[in-house]
Amino acid sequence: MSSPVYVANCIFCRIAHRKAPSTSVYETKYSYAFLDVGPLSEGHTLVVPKTHAEFLHELSDEYLADLLPVAKKIAVGTKAEHYNILQNNGKEAHQAVGHVHIHVIPKPNQEEGLGIKWPAKEVSPDQLAPIAQRIIEEIEKNSEGSSEKI
């Protein structure tokens, strides 16, 4: 396990390391889950890694691998039939706190929980192919030495 990074002025670092108050729901060696203080619905929970990383791609795989199983446990624990799992990266993507976190948001009805606009664009397969190729090339460039291939 790599040593956790603690940033003293990060509220989620302070919460995950029990240096700021929270309403704890679940904890593992790598993750800490607590109720959101500004919930969109009852049971709205945040899952944070116990190491600081602002963006998902900056988080080590050992911490990353723990986040979704914890989010799954929280979703089951809420007993919500419908729910959203949300993870934002960067201010333009609506990340309010600069520490990786996953929202588990129960959706009990149309009024409560997460509301989403999805302004989908129409694209053809010919438009998608070069985009896919650029992504594949970047993945391969950044995965040198890895046996994983697309």
Side-chain angles (χ1 to χ4, degrees), residues 35-47:
L35 292 178
D36 194 311
V37 296
L40 298 181
S41 60
E42 184 178 300
H44 181 167
T45 302
L46 300 176
V47 182

Side-chain angles (χ1 to χ4, degrees), residues 42-43 50 58:
E42 184 178 300
K50 290 181 175 179
E58 297 171 344

Side-chain angles (χ1 to χ4, degrees), residues 6-141:
Y6 176 80
V7 175
N9 67 349
C10 172
I11 185 62
F12 287 173
C13 281
R14 292 198 317 267
I15 288 171
H17 291 272
R18 309 287 178 110
K19 296 180 188 292
S22 69
T23 305
S24 178
V25 175
Y26 189 78
E27 184 173 10
T28 68
K29 180 178 178 180
Y30 299 104
S31 301
Y32 183 74
F34 57 98
L35 292 178
D36 194 311
V37 296
L40 298 181
S41 60
E42 184 178 300
H44 181 167
T45 302
L46 300 176
V47 182
V48 300
K50 290 181 175 179
T51 190
H52 187 81
E54 184 173 353
F55 297 96
L56 189 74
H57 66 272
E58 297 171 344
L59 195 59
S60 71
D61 287 350
E62 63 190 336
Y63 285 93
L64 190 59
D66 196 56
L67 289 175
L68 277 180
V70 171
K72 176 182 175 181
K73 287 181 185 298
I74 301 305
V76 169
T78 67
K79 292 189 172 187
E81 183 178 352
H82 305 277
Y83 56 90
N84 294 94
I85 302 293
L86 177 67
Q87 201 283 313
N88 301 325
N89 291 275
K91 290 181 182 180
E92 288 295 320
H94 306 285
Q95 183 181 13
V97 176
H99 184 114
V100 171
H101 56 287
I102 293 177
H103 293 261
V104 180
I105 309 167
K107 184 71 174 157
N109 53 54
Q110 287 298 317
E111 292 76 38
E112 294 179 85
L114 185 64
I116 297 178
K117 290 183 183 178
W118 200 280
K121 300 176 181 182
E122 289 188 35
V123 294
S124 71
D126 291 339
Q127 292 171 300
L128 293 176
I131 297 168
Q133 188 58 42
R134 283 195 307 270
I135 294 170
I136 291 167
E137 288 171 4
E138 194 64 26
I139 290 169
E140 289 174 350
K141 182 173 82 176

